[in-house]
């Protein structure tokens, strides 16, 4: 109830409403306060002058002025209603509750009439103290505004409920507590006032006196005053005008003031408006409930902020203390080094002092002995020892030669503490944005290359507290061009296939979440295998079996699938451009069992020497891309088929650059089928003979002859077939864009295909009557090498 008190107070006097009237803007004001804030307007602004000028404004048009009002945006405190001029500007004041009000231009004339009956100055204007809308009064003055009986009743009930002890209503100074209430007079009396003003004799003897509490109850239960019409004070409201939005009496209807208006029963409209108000209150109640919940949330946030502040402050203090502890430990280490240097210097100087003291004592003794010998007067005795003494003196003098009397140690400490990096780090010590994930760290021990494939692995920093939703891996084109995205996802390991041989790629990684993207990691420089004739076997690189790399079949395609990692070897350069940091991985031993890699500083030129030790184009058949009828054995180097129909199997490695040669040995052949050998795209048809579509370039052969086939076109029939034990060689020269075939080390026909470009995978098609074994990492045939050199 106390929260409602502000709604029950007049914006002008700041007290509870007394005889409140309803302004057209729907705000309320005391009738006496309304008279106090009236101001006069010029004669030309009066309603009579407007009617005389033909404006056609009715006496009751003020009832619809709330619909037509135009609020002034100026800070004058005045507005105007459409069709009416605004009131003259008058300096505004503030009421006790802070609302601006407008005093009258002159004090109201003294009158003995009540405020309701006192005459209103001619051409008066009233301005709402809450919304500051102005209205010029008509001839009826303040009587033209309806009284708010409901508000009076609410105030009365509020005051009654607020008064814990009923007071006497006739005490002049300090009201005493009432003892009785007269039901007929409707007045509360204390005992002195009852004896003085309500004696129990005469006409008042018949009045019924009841206790105050009972009187308050009977007052509440007594029928309320029925509101009367403002124009006809003897008539009660019985109908409701919908257009004017006001109750009217029967006489108003008889006079025809609302003849063209829609009029409804007062009780029906009372119930309808009560229902509408209840519905509106439901929405307002929901908003109030949300506001209370929001305030609870804000209070919880205040508490949480305080708790987080304490926790964060403790964490900050702990981190700074850890830095101080680390600095103290380093200080102790440096002091230990200084003490060690100090002890060393003292030892050297003290040893030199001891040595010099002994020598000086010996020299002094020799000198004293020689002086005594010189005092000898026997010439023959002197000459017997003089030569020996002279030699001893010269020898002792020589021992005090150059450097003997020079300090072996300086007093200066040749130690200079370089604290500039630490001071710079301390000055740069600052808070970081915790919403964006930290920069990922590339794991060098798990990054490697194999032939023309590269595997990269990364992780979040150990102390990172912001989770990353995914990672973006970027590679350049191998020629120092722009970076391109090759992988976006949640995995932390990715293998990129189909890179160029003998090329250097730059790779970098960054993390992202809903807030944003982190900084790029340091750049990793990867070197793919060089096209050499070395037959060195693949160097295995251990990778945890539970971490399977995400394999991308080509550097910038969208085909992704998970496959187990394969043996690989690594040589790469790890750079950080801002700090010129270089870390290189070198081969510790190619032949030692369980060999691994160590990170050692080395010049960039060493990469060339390391990569020349490695073989190229070592690959096997790929079970992941083969037809389901293909049967693998011998570590995926030998294949056959379980079907009589031709089925295609591809190699694991794709080629887009360089010269590559591999051979296939026929292990089983019954002279009937036509196996096909060649190269194909990754999306070649797997259930037909190789070369039937435009994704494969092949040579198919029987026991007597061979043909070249591409896009189901047969060309260049050549005599000479295969038998069990025969060898078929495939030479893919992407430098000259040619494909050539060999049978038993002899070229089979002319160059099979020319102008071949793109990414190619070794391919074979066979059925159950044929079994072949793959041999890779082979040198180019001599006959082709000689022709190529001549060309």
């Amino acid at each position: 109830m106390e929260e409602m008190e502000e709604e029950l107070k007049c914006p002008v006097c700041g007290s509870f409403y007394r005889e409140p009237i309803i302004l057209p803007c729907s705000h309320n004001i005391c009738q006496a306060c309304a008279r106090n804030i009236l101001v006069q307007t010029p004669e030309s602004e009066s309603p009579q002058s407007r009617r005389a000028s033909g404006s056609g404004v009715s006496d009751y048009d003020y009832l619809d002025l709330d619909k037509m009002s135009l609020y002034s945006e100026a800070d004058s405190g005045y507005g105007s209603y459409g069709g009416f001029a605004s009131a003259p500007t008058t300096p505004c004041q503030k009421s006790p509750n802070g609302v601006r009000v407008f005093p009258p231009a002159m004090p109201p004339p003294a009158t003995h009439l009540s405020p309701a009956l006192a005459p209103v100055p001619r051409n008066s204007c009233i301005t709402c103290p809450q919304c500051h809308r102005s209205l010029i009064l008509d001839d009826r003055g303040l009587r033209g505004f309806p009284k708010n009986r409901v508000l009076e009743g609410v105030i009365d009930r509020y005051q009654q409920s607020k008064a814990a002890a009923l007071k006497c209503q006739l005490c002049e100074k300090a009201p005493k507590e009432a003892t009785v209430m007269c039901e007929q007079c409707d007045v509360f009396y204390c005992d002195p006032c009852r004896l003085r003003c309500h004696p129990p004799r005469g006409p008042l003897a018949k009045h019924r006196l009841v206790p105050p509490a009972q009187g308050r109850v009977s007052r509440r239960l007594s029928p309320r005053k029925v509101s009367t019409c403002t124009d006809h004070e003897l008539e009660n409201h019985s109908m409701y005008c919908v257009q004017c939005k006001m109750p009217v009496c029967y006489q108003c209807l008889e006079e025809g003031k609302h003849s063209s208006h829609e009029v409804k029963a007062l009780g029906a409209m009372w119930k309808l408006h009560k229902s509408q108000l209840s519905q509106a209150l439901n929405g307002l109640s929901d908003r109030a409930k949300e506001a209370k919940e929001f305030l609870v949330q804000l209070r919880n946030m205040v508490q949480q902020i305080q708790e987080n502040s304490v926790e964060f402050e403790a964490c900050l203090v702990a981190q700074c203390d850890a830095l101080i502890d680390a600095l103290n430990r380093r200080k102790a280490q440096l002091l230990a080094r200084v003490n060690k240097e100090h002890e060393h210097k003292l030892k050297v100087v003290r040893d030199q002092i001891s040595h010099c003291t002994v020598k000086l004592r010996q020299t002094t003794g020799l000198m004293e002995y020689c002086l005594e010998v010189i005092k000898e007067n026997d010439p023959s005795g002197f000459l017997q020892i003089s030569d020996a003494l002279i030699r001893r003196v010269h020898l002792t003098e020589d021992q005090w030669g150059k450097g003997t009397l020079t300090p072996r140690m300086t007093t200066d400490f040749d130690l200079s503490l370089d604290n500039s990096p630490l001071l710079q780090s301390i000055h740069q010590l600052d808070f970081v944005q915790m919403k964006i994930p930290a920069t990922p760290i590339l794991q060098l021990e798990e990054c490697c290359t194999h032939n023309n494939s590269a595997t990269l692995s990364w992780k979040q920093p150990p102390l990172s507290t912001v989770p990353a939703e995914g990672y973006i891996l970027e590679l350049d084109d191998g020629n120092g061009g722009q970076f391109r995205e090759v992988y976006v996802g949640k995995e932390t390991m990715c293998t990129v296939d189909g890179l160029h041989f003998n090329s250097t790629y730059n790779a970098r990684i960054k993390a992202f979440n809903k807030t944003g993207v982190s900084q790029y990691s340091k750049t990793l420089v990867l070197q793919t295998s060089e096209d050499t004739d070395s037959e060195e076997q693949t160097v295995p690189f251990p990778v945890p079996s539970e971490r399977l790399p995400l394999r991308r079949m080509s550097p910038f395609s969208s085909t992704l699938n998970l496959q187990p990692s394969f043996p690989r070897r690594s040589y790469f350069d790890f750079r950080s451009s801002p700090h010129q940091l270089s870390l290189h991985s070198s081969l510790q031993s190619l032949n030692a069992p369980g060999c691994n890699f160590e990170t050692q500083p080395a010049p960039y030129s060493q990469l060339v020497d390391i990569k020349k030790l490695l073989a190229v184009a070592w690959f096997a058949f790929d079970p992941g891309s083969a037809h389901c009828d293909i049967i693998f054995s011998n570590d995926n180097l030998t294949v056959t088929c379980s079907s009589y129909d031709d089925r295609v199997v591809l190699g694991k490695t794709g080629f887009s650059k360089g010269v590559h040669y591999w051979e296939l040995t026929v292990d089983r052949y019954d002279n009937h089928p036509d196996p096909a050998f060649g190269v194909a795209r990754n999306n070649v048809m797997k259930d037909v003979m190789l070369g039937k579509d435009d994704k494969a370039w092949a040579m198919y052969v029987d026991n007597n002859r061979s043909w070249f086939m591409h896009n189901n076109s047969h060309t260049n029939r050549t005599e000479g077939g295969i038998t069990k034990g025969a060898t078929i060689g495939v030479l893919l020269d992407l430098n000259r864009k040619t494909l050539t075939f060999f049978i038993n080390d002899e070229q089979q026909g002319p160059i099979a295909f020319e102008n071949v470009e793109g990414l190619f995978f070794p391919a074979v098609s066979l059925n159950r009557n044929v079994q072949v074994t793959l041999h890779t990492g082979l040198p180019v045939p001599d006959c082709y090498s000689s022709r190529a050199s001549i060309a």
Side-chain angles (χ1 to χ4, degrees), residues 61 66 321 339 410 467 500 510 551 709 770:
D61 284 343
D66 191 48
D321 290 343
N339 292 333
T410 62
H500 297 311
K510 61 182 177 180
R551 190 174 183 82
M709 184 166 63
V770 181

Side-chain angles (χ1 to χ4, degrees), residues 563-741:
Q563 292 187 359
S565 60
F566 48 83
R568 50 189 179 263
R569 50 197 176 275
S570 173
Y571 43 95
F572 51 86
D573 175 27
F574 191 52
R575 293 183 180 175
S576 175
S577 299
H579 307 291
Q580 297 299 321
L581 173 64
S582 294
L583 296 175
H584 301 268
S585 178
S586 60
L587 294 173
Q588 183 180 11
S589 174
L590 288 175
N591 300 321
C595 62
N596 53 15
F597 301 96
E598 293 182 353
T599 303
Q600 299 176 354
Y604 185 76
S605 61
Q606 286 188 7
L607 290 176
V608 178
D609 299 333
I610 293 172
K611 68 183 182 179
K612 287 184 178 180
L613 297 175
L614 304 176
V616 299
W618 287 94
F619 62 91
F621 288 115
D622 185 12
S625 62
H627 193 277
C628 58
D629 292 338
I630 297 295
I631 301 173
F632 294 85
S633 60
N634 189 23
D635 293 333
N636 298 335
L637 294 176
T638 301
V639 292
T640 185
C641 183
S642 61
S643 172
Y644 286 105
D645 297 324
D646 292 312
R647 299 291 185 253
V648 174
V649 58
L650 301 180
K652 271 191 173 181
T653 303
F655 305 109
S656 59
K657 182 180 178 182
V659 181
H660 310 280
Y661 178 73
W662 62 93
E663 291 181 348
L664 299 108
T665 302
V666 180
D667 300 330
R668 185 175 68 246
Y669 183 70
D670 61 1
N671 297 332
H672 294 295
D674 298 331
F677 310 89
V679 296
R681 306 289 190 193
N682 187 43
N683 56 347
V684 66
M685 296 174 61
K686 306 295 194 317
D687 55 355
V688 296
M689 178 184 288
L690 193 67
K692 287 286 187 179
D693 60 0
D694 61 347
K695 303 295 190 302
W697 293 256
M699 176 188 73
Y700 73 93
V701 59
D702 57 15
N703 58 341
N704 292 321
R705 62 188 76 80
S706 66
W707 292 265
F708 302 144
M709 184 166 63
H710 169 66
N711 199 14
N712 204 22
S713 174
H714 309 256
T715 59
N716 296 96
R717 171 178 171 175
T718 304
E719 297 297 327
I722 60 173
T723 59
K724 180 180 178 180
T727 300
I728 295 90
V730 181
L731 177 61
L732 178 63
D733 188 348
L734 292 172
N735 295 336
R736 301 173 62 186
K737 303 178 182 179
T738 61
L739 179 64
T740 308
F741 295 97

Side-chain angles (χ1 to χ4, degrees), residues 172-218:
E172 295 181 357
K173 295 183 178 179
K176 298 180 181 179
E177 185 176 351
T179 57
V180 294
M181 173 193 174
C182 178
E183 290 186 344
Q184 284 73 22
C185 298
D186 195 16
V187 176
F188 290 93
Y189 297 96
C190 63
D191 289 336
C193 294
R194 180 180 60 81
L195 295 175
R196 184 178 68 254
C197 302
H198 200 285
R201 59 183 178 276
L204 301 178
K206 297 181 180 180
H207 289 192
R208 184 186 176 190
L209 300 178
V210 295
Q214 181 180 350
R216 182 169 58 183
V217 173
S218 61

Side-chain angles (χ1 to χ4, degrees), residues 341-487:
E341 183 72 13
H342 169 247
E343 294 297 332
H344 174 67
K345 285 180 177 291
L346 288 180
K347 184 178 181 302
V348 172
V349 174
R350 285 170 179 170
D351 290 345
Q352 191 173 9
I353 290 173
S354 177
H355 178 72
C356 187
T357 301
V358 173
K359 205 166 184 182
L360 179 60
R361 187 182 301 114
Q362 293 174 355
T363 302
T364 304
L366 179 60
M367 290 173 59
E368 292 178 354
Y369 175 69
C370 290
L371 289 175
E372 291 299 327
V373 171
I374 291 175
K375 295 178 182 180
E376 183 62 41
N377 295 324
D378 184 7
S380 60
F382 177 80
L383 292 175
Q384 287 178 354
I385 63 174
S386 60
D387 290 337
L389 287 177
I390 292 172
R391 286 195 302 271
R392 286 185 62 188
V393 169
H394 285 298
L395 180 61
T396 303
E397 184 182 1
D398 292 339
Q399 290 178 354
W400 291 99
K402 187 177 181 180
T404 305
L405 300 178
T406 303
R408 299 177 185 175
M409 185 63 64
T410 62
T411 59
D412 297 332
F413 284 80
D414 298 331
L415 298 175
S416 179
L417 182 63
D418 184 13
N419 60 353
S420 56
L422 181 58
L423 288 176
Q424 183 179 2
S425 299
I426 292 175
H427 293 154
Q428 294 177 352
L429 187 64
D430 200 354
F431 299 104
V432 296
Q433 178 59 261
M434 298 298 291
K435 296 181 180 179
I436 298 177
T439 303
I441 299 175
L442 285 164
Q443 295 183 281
L444 276 71
E445 67 276 7
E446 295 188 15
C447 296
C448 63
T449 58
H450 170 76
N451 288 340
N452 62 341
S453 300
T455 299
L456 296 100
S457 178
W458 57 89
K459 66 178 181 180
Q460 281 291 101
L463 300 179
S464 175
T465 59
V466 180
E469 296 181 0
Y471 303 92
I472 301 175
L473 175 63
E474 296 183 359
L475 260 69
D476 64 358
D477 58 0
N479 294 319
Q482 294 182 350
F483 282 90
R484 307 180 190 178
E485 293 183 3
V486 297
Y487 169 68

